[in-house]
């Protein structure tokens, strides 16, 4: 069986760093369990686990720290790296073997001492963070580490960031915080939090590496895996979705048909409406089942369907909780819509990137091989400057939406810019 780092694509340096830290963490636990006498002579088991032997003058926890930030572009595997590292910390061998109960339960999301925070909405609020920090301060039930993984830590509100900062400044002895963010820029993570964390930078993996993982792990045909990896521009999750989901391929085809639909002002607004409506439909499909399950569970917990005395009164008093749930679900739907729209914009940017490289006669492979002919025609029509302006229009639209401009306004402005060139 492969170890927990097997799916971290093209990140050899980061994997080496995390392996050493996990081995050092295991050595630290063994030294703590053995007491002061453990420092009297080297421990050969640490070398067997891939770390450095402990001994006189050697800190058994060297290489390990209580707070980490995983940075990198979308699709580089930030959350994959964090989860794999958490599994290695819970591994009974300290290596992330992938076979022991600690590794297995962490990778499947059922380990009692590993908490994964995935923001449903546009931000992570202070109340959620305070509750998480309070729970993370408890003693690990398995005797190893309490691990908190925060995906999209760039979505922390200022108050939530301050709550997390206090926990990182005064960490419990067996708690490890793993934060995932696009970069260490102050817009993504506060300077004070960054200064107290060790940074693990990840890079965008090569298409060939992504294709290899799709073939090995998911059993996808090599030709399909190669196409999907190139079309996804190194994003592992998006590549898997394109390779396995016919609806995802249809949505991509509709997006890549946009350039030839822009024949006038009216057509530009029609294309914008189609793009927004497609993103809304995709988002609704992804959250509807979860929303219904959450609502049913809350109503049951509040006595829904009960016939006993007081059941009706309990439901009347639950209006506030139902309203809070609807607010959270609305925020999640908004996030899902923006994520779906961003995927479409990435595909569109790839098309104009192909046109630009063809206009410049750059010796690079196209992102979208199936629309290469259309991109070549665009390159002849627009030349390099026109292709670059269109690419910039797509990137500006992404930035505007990230800055909370209404998606419809941003997309309409982009479509007009694409038409006018």
């Amino acid at each position: 069986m492969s170890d927990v780092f097997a799916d971290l694509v093209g990140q050899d340096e980061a994997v080496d760093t995390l392996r050493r830290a996990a081995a050092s963490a295991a050595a630290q636990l063994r030294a703590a369990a053995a007491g002061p006498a453990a420092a009297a002579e080297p421990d050969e088991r640490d070398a067997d686990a891939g770390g450095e032997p402990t001994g006189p003058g050697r800190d058994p926890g060297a290489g390990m720290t209580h707070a980490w930030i995983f940075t990198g572009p979308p699709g580089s595997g930030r959350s994959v790296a964090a989860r794999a590292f958490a599994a290695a910390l819970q591994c009974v061998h300290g290596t992330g073997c992938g076979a022991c109960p600690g590794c297995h339960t962490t990778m499947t999301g059922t380990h009692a001492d590993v908490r994964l925070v995935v923001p449903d909405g546009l931000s992570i609020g202070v109340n959620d963070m305070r509750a998480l920090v309070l729970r993370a301060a408890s003693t690990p039930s398995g005797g190893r580490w309490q691990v908190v993984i925060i995906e999209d830590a760039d979505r922390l509100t200022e108050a939530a960031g301050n709550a997390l900062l206090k926990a990182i400044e005064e960490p419990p002895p067996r708690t490890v915080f793993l934060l995932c963010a696009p970069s260490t820029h102050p817009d993504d993570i506060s300077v004070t939090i960054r200064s107290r964390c060790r940074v693990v930078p990840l890079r965008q993996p090569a298409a060939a590496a992504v294709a290899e993982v799709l073939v090995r792990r998911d059993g996808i045909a090599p030709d399909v895996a190669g196409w999907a990896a190139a079309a996804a521009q190194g994003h592992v999750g998006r590549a898997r979705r394109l390779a396995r989901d016919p609806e995802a391929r249809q949505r991509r085809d509709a997006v890549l048909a946009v350039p030839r639909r822009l024949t006038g002002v009216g057509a530009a607004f029609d294309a914008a409406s189609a793009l927004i409506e497609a993103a809304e439909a995709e988002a609704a499909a992804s959250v509807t089942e979860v929303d219904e399950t959450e609502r049913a569970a809350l109503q049951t917990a509040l006595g829904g369907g009960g016939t006993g005395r007081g059941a009706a009164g309990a439901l009347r008093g639950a209006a506030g909780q139902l309203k809070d749930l609807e607010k959270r679900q609305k925020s999640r739907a908004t996030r899902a819509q923006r994520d779906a729209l961003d995927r479409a914009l990435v595909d569109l940017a790839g098309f104009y990137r192909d046109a630009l490289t063809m206009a410049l006669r750059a010796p690079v492979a196209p992102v979208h091989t199936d629309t290469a002919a259309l991109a070549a025609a665009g390159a002849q029509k627009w030349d390099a400057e026109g292709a670059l302006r269109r690419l910039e229009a797509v990137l500006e639209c992404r930035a505007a939406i990230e800055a909370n401009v209404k998606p419809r306004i941003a997309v309409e402005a982009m479509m007009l810019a694409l038409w006018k060139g």
Side-chain angles (χ1 to χ4, degrees):
M1 179 179 290
S2 58
D3 68 13
V4 296
F5 295 106
D7 292 338
L8 195 54
V9 183
Q11 311 292 348
D12 294 342
E13 294 180 7
V15 169
D16 182 64
T17 297
L18 298 177
R19 286 190 193 279
R20 290 178 179 275
S24 294
Q28 182 178 345
L29 292 179
R30 286 194 291 270
E41 57 183 74
D43 186 348
E44 295 179 356
R45 292 174 300 174
D46 297 339
D48 294 339
E52 298 179 357
T54 57
R58 168 67 63 181
D59 177 5
M64 179 60 189
T65 187
H66 70 286
W68 299 72
I69 298 177
F70 297 86
T71 65
S76 58
R78 299 188 299 255
S79 60
V80 175
R83 189 186 293 264
F85 185 43
L89 292 175
Q90 304 295 2
C91 178
V92 296
H93 307 293
T95 60
C97 66
C100 72
C103 289
H104 179 72
T105 54
T106 300
M107 296 304 287
T108 57
T110 58
H111 198 292
D113 295 328
V114 178
R115 292 175 174 82
L116 178 64
V117 181
V118 182
D120 283 337
L122 300 177
S123 62
I124 302 174
V126 63
N127 292 333
D128 293 336
M129 187 52 55
R130 285 173 177 164
L132 178 72
V133 167
L134 183 63
R135 291 182 61 190
S138 59
T139 302
S141 60
R144 297 189 69 83
W145 304 94
Q146 282 277 7
V147 182
V148 178
I149 303 173
I150 304 178
E151 289 192 13
D152 300 317
D154 53 306
R155 297 186 193 176
L156 288 165
T157 64
E158 182 177 357
N162 290 335
L164 176 62
L165 175 62
K166 185 175 181 180
I168 292 177
E169 286 179 330
E170 303 174 2
R174 291 284 184 86
T175 300
V176 181
F177 294 93
L178 309 180
L179 283 60
C180 305
S183 72
T184 56
H185 190 278
D187 289 345
D188 290 331
I189 202 81
S190 77
V191 175
T192 48
I193 290 178
R194 159 64 185 89
S195 66
R196 289 160 176 80
C197 298
R198 184 173 180 182
V199 178
V200 179
L202 304 175
R203 63 172 65 89
Q204 180 174 307
V210 175
E212 186 275 330
V213 168
L214 296 181
V215 173
R216 171 176 53 82
R217 183 184 58 194
D218 301 307
I220 296 169
D223 56 338
V224 175
W227 166 81
Q233 303 179 57
H235 193 299
V236 182
R238 186 174 293 134
R240 185 185 302 113
R241 191 180 302 112
L242 286 174
R244 302 179 65 176
D245 186 357
E247 292 185 359
R249 293 194 290 272
Q250 291 174 2
R251 288 191 292 267
R252 171 182 171 275
D253 292 342
V255 170
L256 295 181
V258 165
R260 60 174 175 264
R261 293 179 55 187
L262 299 177
T263 57
V265 175
F269 280 102
D270 289 342
S273 295
L275 199 60
I276 293 293
E277 290 166 5
E280 291 174 346
E282 182 181 349
S286 67
V287 302
T288 296
E289 184 177 352
V290 177
D291 287 353
E292 292 176 352
T293 301
E294 286 181 345
R295 187 175 183 85
L298 180 59
Q299 288 178 334
T300 300
L302 295 174
T307 57
R309 183 182 304 173
L315 279 178
R316 285 195 298 270
Q321 296 184 53
L322 289 171
K323 186 175 181 180
D324 288 342
L325 176 62
E326 291 172 355
K327 182 178 179 180
R328 292 197 303 271
Q329 290 179 342
K330 183 178 180 181
S331 179
R332 179 166 58 205
T334 301
R335 182 74 256 171
Q337 178 190 341
R338 293 194 179 187
D339 288 344
L341 182 58
D342 190 67
R343 287 192 290 270
L345 294 175
V346 168
D347 287 334
L348 196 58
F351 173 85
Y352 288 109
R353 174 266 191 195
D354 288 345
L356 176 60
T357 58
M358 291 176 183
L360 295 173
R361 303 183 185 277
V364 295
V367 170
H368 302 300
T369 54
D370 48 350
T371 58
L374 182 61
Q380 290 183 344
K381 179 179 179 181
W382 304 321
D383 66 38
E385 185 177 349
L388 179 59
R389 286 198 301 269
R390 288 168 171 83
L391 176 58
E392 289 175 339
V394 179
L395 299 180
E396 288 171 1
C397 179
R398 292 186 70 199
I401 293 174
E402 189 65 25
N404 286 327
V405 174
K406 290 289 186 181
R408 183 172 293 276
I409 294 175
V411 173
E412 287 177 348
M414 178 194 72
M415 290 299 182
L416 288 173
L418 295 178
W419 168 63
K420 293 188 295 184

